Amino acid sequence: NQSTDVSVTVGEQRCSITDIAADGSNITCALSALSAGEVAITLAVAQAGYAAMPGGGSTARITTQLLVTSCSPTRGSYHGGVLLNAAGAGFAAIPSNSSAQMEVTVAGSAPGPVAPAILSATNTVAMVRLPRYRASVTAATRQLTLQLRVYDGVTNATVALAAVPYTLDTAYTPSVTRVTPATLEPFTAANLTLTWSVGAAAAGIAGINDSLPVGAASNVRVLLQSGPRGPVYACGMVGEGGAKPQVVVAASNFN
């Protein structure tokens, strides 16, 4: 059986053989997506050993590029709190069982202390989190460039870099204009009302609920119920006028 007599390995994974020519001269195998960088290809034949490759060595090399083809959403709040889905090729899987690792940083300047993080990734898709931060808003829009870095987890040597463009936009930044009441009595249940809105440009975009208040301000009531640990309150948002807020506060601490 030729398919079991011959094996092809690419990097750290076995390449599944799908076809062998009748005379055995050509072999086709199905290779799954790889992380960026250069890896070795070996061919082994049962009872004969490893094949000599072009150039006389026992391995050939194949190179995979790091490429970002899309990112969704493309714009959002100046103050973070967004999950970005980046698609492309050459990503390092997270969690990883190989030496290939990947991280995300901010390339260039930012309007505040932005600390993005990769929550999960395959070789073709990565989920990046922009946490909440305090931003300095000086323009209606601002380009924020995130940088994916694939590196060797053993040596920390950079293998490849790729940019992920993202736009910070005041029109996509929800705005709270009033909080009532401004003072809460300790250990007392209360209704907290937030008057807020989001720009009309954000209506209907992927990932934003169509029922979010647009244009004129709407109210969202937050019921504060004292918890077993004193000043910790469980908060549940209820939209008024049909609004269905995406963000739900799980707990707030009023020390």
Side-chain angles (χ1 to χ4, degrees), residues 5 8 15 29 45 49-50 105 113 118 133 147 174 182 206 231 236 238 247:
D5 291 342
V8 178
C15 190
C29 65
V45 180
Y50 286 104
T105 56
I118 300 175
Y133 62 93
Q147 181 173 266
V238 180
V247 180

Side-chain angles (χ1 to χ4, degrees), residues 50-203:
Y50 286 104
M53 293 295 188
S58 61
T59 62
R61 314 291 293 186
I62 186 172
T63 301
T64 301
Q65 295 183 329
L66 177 59
L67 180 67
V68 176
T69 57
S70 67
C71 179
S72 177
T74 58
R75 59 183 58 220
S77 171
Y78 253 94
H79 302 284
V82 179
L83 290 179
L84 305 178
N85 288 292
F91 298 170
I94 297 177
S96 174
N97 57 3
S98 72
S99 61
Q101 302 291 323
M102 186 168 66
E103 65 179 7
V104 61
T105 56
V106 174
S109 62
V114 186
I118 300 175
L119 301 184
S120 62
T122 66
N123 292 128
T124 58
V125 178
M127 180 176 288
V128 178
R129 177 176 178 266
L130 280 181
R132 186 179 72 87
Y133 62 93
R134 185 182 297 275
S136 174
V137 181
T138 57
T141 62
R142 177 169 178 168
Q143 187 71 34
L144 180 69
T145 301
L146 304 179
Q147 181 173 266
L148 292 180
R149 173 181 175 249
V150 175
Y151 64 98
D152 188 310
V154 177
T155 65
N156 199 39
T158 298
V159 175
L161 300 170
V164 182
Y166 182 70
T167 301
L168 304 176
D169 194 333
T170 55
Y172 287 73
T173 303
S175 177
V176 175
T177 56
R178 185 180 180 186
V179 178
T180 307
T183 303
L184 294 176
E185 294 294 329
F187 313 111
T188 303
N191 284 322
L192 179 64
T193 301
L194 285 75
T195 303
W196 68 295
S197 64
V198 66

